[in-house]
Amino acid sequence: KKKKKDQLLFKNICFKIDEEVAKLLELKAHLGGDDGKHQFVLKTAKGTRDYNPKQMAIREKVFNTIVSCFKRHGAETIDTPVFELKETLTGKYGEDSKLIYDLKDQGGELLSLRYDLTVPFARYLAMNKITNIKRYHIAKVYRRDNPAMTRGRYREFYQCDFDIAGQYDAMIPDAECLKIVHEILSELDLGDFRIKVNDRRILDGMFAVCGVPDNMFRTICSTVDKLDKLPWEAVKNEMVNEKGLSEEAADQIGVYVGMQGGMDLAERLLQDQKMCQSTQACAGLTDIKLLFSYLQLFQVTDKVVFDLSLARGLDYYTGIIYEAILTQAGVAPVAPETSNEAPTEECVTVGSVAGGGRYDGLVGMFDPKGRKVPCVGVSIGIERIFSIMEQKAEASTEKIRTTEVQVMVAAAQKNLLEERLRLITELWNAGIKAELMYKKSPKLLSQLQHCEESGIPLVAILGEQELKNGVVKLRNVATRDEVDISRADLIAEIKKRTSA
């Protein structure tokens, strides 16, 4: 009896197991499972994006323009690790330090992803005891920001930096940095732009004469830096109600940050009774006058404005600071000359497209003996520029080429794969960009259609008759004109036609 009872119990257990397995299989079928494989969520991480070939073609064109300008001005390039010791980055970015990406402790080193390319550059100079260099660096940086990707703000993005390190006479390197911004933005043809200029010494002097306590300079500077995004009333409210500044001091700051002009404004402020009380403000204003005299010689003063509202919140700036914004309609409208109000967020779709300044004390922070290396530099906002270029490309009917192929090696008849391979090898060995279809006997029409779709300008057509005569039929894809070229002259002819 006990044996029968155990057998019955076993059968019941097996039945229940089979029943549960069937339910699981049914659920799996309902969820679309495939052999137990994990179903991935296919998306990029927040604040990042993929780039398709068309977007990359636009991107490479922008990079080439920027690198060409940097090289024209005599810069050499370096590279640094994507992560740094956490202590290297700590305390260099003011209130933005909260946006640094910290990494998990791996064997005792506390590391963080680089926030910009400037602090790693300063560390590189101090570590290698370099006192003079003109360098550019193009690489990705990381910020744990709240991304606004429609406006070109990401958590992972490229920076394009140009910096001049070394002891030189005042404002000559600074003026060249502004000239570089002017050249790049003009060549990229993004629309009208303006380069705002100020000086940290002028800001600090202004804060002092307006009654801001010394220990509040940096935090009030970070608030003033928001004037490009917020109206004056909102900025004043943050100063008074959130940061504890007196309303009287805030109102005095409000008078100054509404001022814009050129060399004339610097001269006027040098006569201002309040500003005259600050030695560092006077030094900054004197340098602004000198800067504008050099900018006149560089022929860029039509785009540069001395703007006392410009603050740039990073802690390491010590002197001249600047920022370029687009002023074309619908991109970044400019506040009226007499107004203290910044453009509204609804109007601004991109924001600043370049910025930088002088940071004479940063290298000394890393040097064991505190030796300073004066530095000035500029960073081009490549992601924001790319957002505009992409929008322009979508609105344009012009076709964007995603390859640089100059000639397609095609066949007019079947079974000519070996001859096509021989010819394309000759072209590759001669440095010509060429391709062929990966079929033994493709149709001539499909080969020609591929050229039209891809923007390939020339087709080198092989046929039985051409092979007997020792020629290649060279076809212009746009005009459809064809001419027989001897095999010996083909490479020279292709290079002549594609040299532009």
Side-chain angles (χ1 to χ4, degrees):
K1 284 183 180 180
K2 187 177 184 302
K3 188 177 179 182
K4 285 184 179 180
K5 190 175 180 181
D6 288 341
Q7 286 175 342
L8 185 62
L9 182 62
F10 180 75
K11 283 182 181 178
N12 285 337
I13 291 171
C14 288
F15 177 76
K16 285 184 179 180
I17 289 172
D18 290 340
E19 199 173 45
E20 292 302 318
V21 168
K23 286 180 182 178
L24 288 170
L25 290 171
E26 185 179 349
L27 180 61
K28 178 183 169 185
H30 178 69
L31 293 173
D34 182 21
D35 298 330
K37 290 181 181 177
H38 176 66
Q39 298 298 299
F40 288 98
V41 178
L42 297 176
K43 64 184 286 292
T44 57
K46 186 178 180 182
T48 65
R49 64 178 293 191
D50 294 324
Y51 295 93
N52 63 40
K54 181 180 173 183
Q55 291 166 330
M56 284 304 298
I58 300 168
R59 200 174 176 85
E60 285 185 349
K61 183 180 177 183
V62 175
F63 276 134
N64 290 339
T65 298
I66 292 170
V67 170
S68 175
C69 179
F70 290 162
K71 288 183 175 180
R72 186 163 60 243
H73 285 264
E76 51 196 346
T77 191
I78 67 165
D79 196 13
T80 61
V82 74
F83 44 78
E84 295 274 351
L85 293 176
K86 183 177 179 179
E87 65 180 26
T88 300
L89 306 183
T90 302
K92 312 300 189 300
Y93 303 108
E95 294 184 3
D96 282 347
S97 290
K98 62 182 182 291
L99 303 181
I100 294 173
Y101 265 112
D102 292 330
L103 301 178
K104 189 176 180 181
D105 180 5
Q106 296 286 344
E109 281 193 334
L110 295 177
L111 305 172
S112 300
L113 293 177
R114 62 186 172 204
Y115 178 90
D116 67 1
L117 301 178
T118 307
V119 171
F121 174 55
R123 189 266 307 153
Y124 171 85
L125 294 181
M127 193 171 118
N128 294 284
K129 297 181 173 57
I130 296 170
T131 55
N132 291 78
I133 190 173
K134 186 191 292 184
R135 82 87 170 88
Y136 73 90
H137 189 185
I138 298 177
K140 285 184 176 181
V141 298
Y142 300 86
R143 297 185 184 179
R144 199 160 45 85
D145 204 350
N146 210 10
M149 293 172 67
T150 55
R151 295 178 56 236
R153 285 184 73 93
Y154 302 93
R155 288 181 167 181
E156 176 194 65
F157 56 95
Y158 272 97
Q159 279 192 341
C160 303
D161 281 18
F162 173 96
D163 293 84
I164 300 171
Q167 187 72 53
Y168 303 107
D169 288 341
M171 293 297 107
I172 302 173
D174 310 64
E176 185 172 10
C177 287
L178 292 173
K179 173 66 172 170
I180 285 168
V181 175
H182 188 281
E183 285 181 14
I184 289 171
L185 295 183
S186 298
E187 194 172 342
L188 290 174
D189 193 26
L190 301 171
D192 197 20
F193 62 91
R194 173 171 81 163
I195 305 170
K196 298 189 289 186
V197 174
N198 200 1
D199 194 296
R200 265 293 174 81
R201 293 166 297 173
I202 297 172
L203 278 168
D204 286 352
M206 177 185 74
F207 293 150
V209 300
C210 289
V212 178
D214 290 359
N215 64 345
M216 291 182 68
F217 279 12
R218 292 286 74 86
T219 186
I220 295 300
C221 188
S222 293
T223 302
V224 171
D225 192 39
K226 297 176 183 177
L227 273 170
D228 63 335
K229 304 180 186 72
L230 300 173
W232 166 249
E233 285 305 317
V235 170
K236 178 185 173 182
N237 181 65
E238 182 177 313
M239 286 181 185
V240 175
N241 296 328
E242 293 182 31
K243 298 194 171 177
L245 187 66
S246 71
E247 191 162 342
E248 181 186 357
D251 286 337
Q252 288 185 54
I253 291 171
V255 172
Y256 286 111
V257 296
M259 295 181 179
Q260 295 178 346
M263 189 186 292
D264 58 329
L265 177 58
E267 290 170 344
R268 198 164 76 242
L269 286 170
L270 280 167
Q271 306 302 318
D272 183 270
Q273 286 187 342
K274 272 186 176 294
M275 281 292 198
C276 283
Q277 298 170 23
S278 170
T279 305
Q280 62 176 340
C282 289
L285 289 165
T286 302
D287 275 352
I288 287 284
K289 277 184 63 181
L290 184 60
L291 176 74
F292 269 87
S293 70
Y294 295 148
L295 294 177
Q296 285 176 345
L297 295 170
F298 281 152
Q299 301 176 357
V300 298
T301 48
D302 59 317
K303 299 293 186 184
V304 183
V305 60
F306 176 27
D307 186 336
L308 268 76
S309 71
L310 179 65
R312 295 194 65 78
L314 298 177
D315 273 6
Y316 52 65
Y317 288 124
T318 57
I320 192 86
I321 50 176
Y322 34 83
E323 189 167 271
I325 61 168
L326 296 185
T327 59
Q328 68 190 74
V331 177
V334 181
E337 295 287 319
T338 56
S339 171
N340 288 344
E341 294 195 1
T344 59
E345 186 70 17
E346 288 77 15
C347 296
V348 180
T349 58
V350 175
S352 68
V353 289
R358 178 159 286 281
Y359 51 101
D360 289 347
L362 190 56
V363 178
M365 289 185 185
F366 298 113
D367 191 281
K369 296 182 180 179
R371 288 170 294 206
K372 291 187 177 181
V373 177
C375 296
V376 64
V378 63
S379 182
I380 307 298
I382 185 70
E383 302 296 349
R384 292 179 173 184
I385 288 173
F386 175 63
S387 294
I388 300 163
M389 299 288 280
E390 191 178 350
Q391 288 171 25
K392 287 179 73 173
E394 286 175 2
S396 171
T397 55
E398 185 181 346
K399 186 175 178 63
I400 296 170
R401 288 200 65 190
T402 56
T403 75
E404 296 181 8
V405 175
Q406 297 164 303
V407 59
M408 160 73 80
V409 175
Q413 282 107 21
K414 293 181 178 180
N415 302 319
L416 292 176
L417 174 61
E418 289 184 7
E419 293 300 334
R420 284 191 292 141
L421 294 177
R422 286 192 185 95
L423 178 56
I424 201 167
T425 300
E426 288 177 29
L427 298 182
W428 285 338
N429 290 345
I432 291 171
K433 298 164 185 169
E435 73 172 355
L436 79 169
M437 294 193 80
Y438 302 132
K439 287 188 175 182
K440 287 184 178 179
S441 300
K443 293 178 181 177
L444 181 59
L445 181 60
S446 64
Q447 295 171 87
L448 297 177
Q449 283 177 337
H450 174 73
C451 293
E452 289 182 359
E453 291 166 3
S454 304
I456 299 172
L458 299 173
V459 189
I461 304 172
L462 290 171
E464 291 174 3
Q465 193 61 46
E466 283 79 15
L467 290 169
K468 284 179 185 176
N469 297 338
V471 299
V472 175
K473 196 178 292 295
L474 195 61
R475 178 185 174 100
N476 183 309
V477 175
T479 64
R480 302 188 178 182
D481 292 335
E482 294 180 347
V483 60
D484 285 347
I485 306 290
S486 73
R487 190 75 170 248
D489 297 333
L490 180 64
I491 288 170
E493 182 65 22
I494 291 172
K495 286 185 175 181
K496 187 174 90 174
R497 293 194 186 201
T498 58
S499 59

